[in-house]
């Protein structure tokens, strides 16, 4: 990329940011009619969520507003236990294809099932509403004198390893009618065992013949308490199901306590006539989890596995253990043992080059590093650092397509999606978005994502631009969103903005309402308890867990927490990234055993795949964000990934920087909206 092209790009970025700031300032001082209607909708929607008709007096001027039907649906949903069929049918008839109508139908059907109003239920039921309502529909038919046919009514449900409680009455009737034969029961038990569903197995035990119940209970015990199952296994007969239970218990215990599983295997392998497939599964699992613990002999175990017991996972860990030992000949042997499709991955090409270089094969190593250095990835950037050459980033810009934009703005569903996002209802907005664009071609989806990005809805582009040439639309995939205050907050916290942006992008992909299964919330995915401590420690306001959905609050606390992690690890952003994902105590455990490794080797030997890939992703994103913020040069990844124990100093004006250039172009081209991803 030429200097002049870069200057123009940076100038355009600053002009856009300035224009956005001026527009936001103007809107704050003089709200237009649209803002007034949105404010009225928010008020009316809050009232509708309390039920009743109070919302109507607040919505007098909103009848032609795109989201007006959401108001009545919210009130009906709140009052679901009191409303009647006529109210629901009236709404469904008026808005048959709306998402709130589908939600209302589902909620009212669940209420009708609770009331056991089966005739009304059947009148409103539609197939495809999930297992709970499918079972309620069967119960409704049975209440009306209908009968069950296994293939027609139950086969699809029976194939599920776990079913909702609503299915229990139907299954009980099916059992009483003799439809749940012993063979069918065992088929379902086997599926549940494979899926780890001990409760499903336990629920079926009573329907088995008395002589077979103990066998099923052994399978359930193997899932619930594998150590107890293995302790009891010495008294089990050598039957097919007992071997199945022992295999389950051994493989599940190996994940938690590989050494204990090893001891049990030594005792049981001669007692039970395990099949070849079972023996291979056990040997494979034991070898794999000894490897993730980096136990003595782990590499020898992996090498000695029978060919039929080897998987991509065991072959991968054969290389990772060899990397941990810095046994470069073993690294090459492990890579050679991989199938071609696996060893072509960028990570393994990079480590083949590392091994060749360590063994003195410099020319071969250089060729492999050069092949990777053309890629804007973690291993591509590391390879470029090895070669001391510019990073390869080849940006595209999306060509304007006003005609297609006008077509999209005529799509009522997309209009509703944009409006829902604007009034702070992002979950509903995403549902409307998905439905509106479900049949759209990639070019149309790309234009819609660009429109969303200009409205501040950044995550749409992140999720849409996910393959092919679209990956080069960096301005859309890596938004700066300066209005959320990340740059100044990172500065106040004493960390690099580019790294904070990388963490945010990896954590939430810019979904401000993101919430994990562990209850981490918002852009930087903070746990409420952690956020409360960070706020107290830094003298910041704390208004409770829900405030983490506010981008400014989340970023203020998230950057301070990042600073805490960095301080714990000598300022190191890559170790702090690992701690942010897996917890600092885990990182310190890994450092205690492998803290002598070079950073790239340490990352490769992180036992948790999620954390391993997270660190690589964050560090690559940090490079890209540094480029987006700074222009044609960036802090080298090698600087950010300094040796373990070496203090990391924040970049200054004197810090050496690496050039960024596109190997195949001198300027930033535009991609037409019709280019397939």
């Amino acid at each position: 990329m030429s200097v002049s092209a870069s200057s123009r790009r940076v100038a355009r970025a600053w002009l856009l940011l300035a224009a956005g700031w001026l527009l936001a300032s103007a809107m704050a001082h003089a709200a237009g009619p649209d803002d007034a209607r949105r404010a009225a909708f928010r008020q009316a929607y809050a009232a509708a969520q309390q039920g009743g008709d109070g919302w109507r007096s607040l919505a007098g001027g909103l009848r032609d507003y795109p989201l007006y039907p959401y108001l009545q649906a919210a009130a009906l949903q709140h009052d679901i236990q009191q409303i009647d069929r006529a109210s629901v049918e009236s709404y469904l008839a008026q808005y048959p294809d709306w998402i709130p109508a589908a939600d209302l139908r589902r909620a009212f059907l669940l209420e009708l099932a609770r009331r056991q109003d089966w005739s009304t239920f059947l009148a409103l039921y539609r197939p495809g509403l999930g297992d709970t309502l499918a079972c309620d529909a069967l119960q409704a038919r049975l209440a009306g004198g209908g009968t069950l046919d296994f293939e027609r009514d139950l086969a699809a449900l029976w194939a599920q390893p776990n079913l909702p409680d609503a299915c229990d009455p139907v299954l009980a009737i099916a059992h009483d009618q003799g439809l749940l034969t012993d063979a069918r029961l065992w088929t379902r038990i086997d599926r549940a065992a494979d899926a780890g569903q001990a409760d499903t197995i336990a629920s079926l035990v009573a329907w088995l013949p008395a002589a077979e119940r103990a066998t099923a209970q052994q399978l359930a015990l193997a899932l619930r308490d594998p150590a107890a199952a293995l302790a009891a296994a010495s008294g089990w007969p050598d039957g097919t199901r007992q071997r199945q239970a022992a295999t389950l218990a051994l493989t599940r215990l190996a994940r938690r306590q590989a050494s204990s599983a090893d001891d049990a295997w030594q005792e049981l392998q001669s007692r039970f006539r395990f099949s070849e497939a079972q023996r291979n599964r056990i040997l494979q699992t034991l070898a794999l989890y000894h490897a993730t613990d980096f136990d003595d002999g782990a590499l020898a175990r992996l090498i000695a596995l029978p060919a039929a017991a080897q998987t991509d996972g065991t072959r991968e860990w054969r290389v990772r253990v060899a990397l941990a030992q810095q046994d470069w000949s073993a690294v090459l042997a492990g890579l050679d043992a991989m199938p071609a499709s696996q060893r072509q991955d960028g990570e393994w090409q990079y480590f083949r080059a590392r091994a060749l270089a360590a063994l003195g094969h410099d020319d071969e190593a250089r060729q492999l590093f050069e092949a990777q250095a053309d890629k804007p990835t973690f291993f591509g950037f590391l390879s470029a650092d090895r070669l001391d050459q510019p990073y390869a980033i080849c940006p595209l810009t999306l060509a304007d397509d006003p005609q297609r934009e006008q077509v999209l703005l005529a799509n009522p569903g997309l209009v509703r999606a944009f409006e829902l996002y604007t009034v702070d209802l992002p979950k509903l907005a995403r549902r409307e978005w998905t439905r509106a664009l479900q049949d759209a071609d990639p070019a149309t989806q790309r234009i819609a994502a660009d429109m969303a990005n200009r409205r501040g809805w950044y995550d749409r582009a992140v999720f849409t631009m996910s393959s092919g040439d679209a990956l080069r639309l960096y301005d859309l995939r890596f938004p700066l969103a300066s209005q959320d205050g990340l740059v100044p907050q990172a500065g106040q916290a004493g960390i690099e903005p580019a790294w904070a942006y990388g963490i945010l992008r990896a954590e939430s992909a810019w979904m401000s309402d993101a919430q994990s299964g562990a209850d981490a919330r918002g852009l930087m995915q903070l746990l409420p308890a952690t956020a409360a401590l960070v706020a107290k420690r830094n003298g910041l306001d704390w208004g409770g867990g829900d405030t983490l959905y506010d981008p400014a609050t989340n970023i203020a606390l998230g950057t301070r927490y990042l600073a805490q992690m960095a301080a714990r690890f000598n300022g190191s952003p890559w170790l702090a990234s690992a701690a942010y994902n897996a917890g600092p105590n885990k990182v310190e455990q890994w450092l205690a055993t492998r803290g002598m490794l070079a950073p790239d080797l340490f990352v490769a030997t992180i036992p948790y795949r999620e954390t391993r890939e997270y660190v690589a992703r964050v560090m690559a994103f940090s490079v890209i964000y540094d480029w987006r913020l700074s222009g044609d040069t960036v802090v080298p990844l090698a600087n950010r990934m300094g040796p373990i124990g070496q203090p990391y100093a924040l970049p200054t004006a004197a810090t050496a920087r690496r050039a960024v250039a596109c190997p195949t172009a001198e300027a930033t081209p535009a991609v037409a909206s019709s280019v397939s991803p």
Side-chain angles (χ1 to χ4, degrees), residues 294-648:
F294 295 93
D295 291 339
D296 293 341
L299 182 58
R301 275 178 177 266
L302 290 164
I303 293 171
L305 278 176
Q310 293 180 26
T311 65
D312 284 354
T314 61
R315 286 184 283 264
E316 167 188 338
W317 272 94
R318 175 177 170 180
V319 176
R320 296 195 191 284
V321 173
L323 288 171
Q325 296 175 3
Q326 300 184 74
D327 184 338
W328 299 109
S329 296
V331 169
L332 289 178
L335 291 169
D336 289 339
M338 290 179 171
S341 58
Q342 185 178 13
R343 65 172 175 263
Q344 290 307 310
D345 182 85
E347 179 178 17
W348 304 129
Q349 289 294 294
Y350 171 81
F351 282 116
R352 179 179 289 278
R354 284 279 273 121
L356 289 168
L359 294 171
H361 304 295
D362 294 338
D363 290 342
E364 293 177 73
R366 184 175 185 84
Q367 290 178 11
L368 290 173
F369 282 135
E370 286 177 346
Q372 289 305 305
D374 278 350
K375 300 176 176 62
T377 64
F378 178 69
F379 295 106
F381 297 144
L382 288 177
S383 296
D385 284 341
R386 291 266 164 187
L387 299 171
D388 194 24
Q389 69 182 39
Y391 289 159
I393 298 178
C394 296
L396 295 175
T397 57
L398 191 65
D400 292 337
D401 195 337
Q403 185 175 359
R404 189 169 297 196
E405 286 192 22
Q406 290 306 310
V407 172
L408 283 169
L409 288 174
N411 181 326
L414 196 59
V415 170
R416 291 194 292 269
F418 287 144
E419 200 62 26
L420 284 163
Y421 183 79
T422 303
V423 297
D424 302 319
L425 294 172
K427 288 185 175 64
L428 294 175
R430 287 193 292 271
R431 294 179 66 193
E432 289 280 9
W433 171 281
T434 300
R435 178 182 285 192
L437 296 172
Q438 60 187 351
D439 297 321
D441 59 82
T444 300
Q445 293 181 14
R446 204 173 296 172
I447 292 292
D450 184 38
M451 294 168 65
N453 196 75
R454 280 180 264 140
R455 289 162 169 79
W457 192 2
Y458 305 116
D459 65 80
R460 295 301 84 194
V462 173
F463 287 106
T464 301
M465 318 296 188
S466 58
S467 62
D469 278 344
L471 292 174
R472 295 169 61 190
L473 296 167
Y474 292 103
D475 58 335
L476 296 173
R477 295 183 57 235
F478 295 90
L480 295 174
S482 62
Q483 68 270 27
D484 291 334
L486 186 142
V487 172
Q489 290 293 344
Q492 292 172 31
I495 60 174
E496 289 179 78
W499 175 45
Y501 268 124
I503 290 283
L504 186 155
R505 174 64 163 72
E507 286 288 343
S508 67
W510 287 99
M511 287 175 57
S512 61
D513 64 325
Q515 182 173 4
S516 75
D519 199 30
R521 303 181 185 187
L523 289 174
M524 299 186 76
Q525 288 291 277
L526 294 170
L527 292 168
T530 299
L533 291 173
V534 172
K536 182 177 180 180
R537 177 173 179 172
N538 291 275
L540 299 174
D541 291 338
W542 174 242
D546 285 349
T547 62
L548 291 172
Y549 298 123
D550 170 60
T553 299
N554 194 285
I555 286 172
L557 294 168
T559 50
R560 269 63 174 188
Y561 185 58
L562 266 184
Q564 285 181 218
M565 292 300 98
R568 188 160 174 173
F569 296 98
N570 293 307
S572 169
W574 68 275
L575 282 173
S577 297
Y580 199 89
N581 180 263
N585 292 337
K586 276 294 177 188
V587 174
E588 287 177 346
Q589 288 176 22
W590 302 333
L591 286 171
T593 56
R594 295 185 302 286
M596 76 299 295
L597 294 177
D600 58 346
L601 301 185
F602 186 91
V603 172
T605 60
I606 291 174
Y608 300 164
R609 176 177 179 174
E610 177 190 333
T611 304
R612 198 166 59 242
E613 293 180 352
Y614 177 87
V615 173
R617 190 162 59 250
V618 167
M619 299 315 295
F621 288 175
S622 299
V623 170
I624 293 170
Y625 267 115
D626 191 4
W627 166 72
R628 289 225 60 213
L629 288 163
S630 305
D632 287 345
T633 63
V634 297
V635 175
L637 185 55
N639 286 30
R640 288 195 170 93
M641 296 187 63
I644 294 168
Q646 175 179 300
Y648 177 73

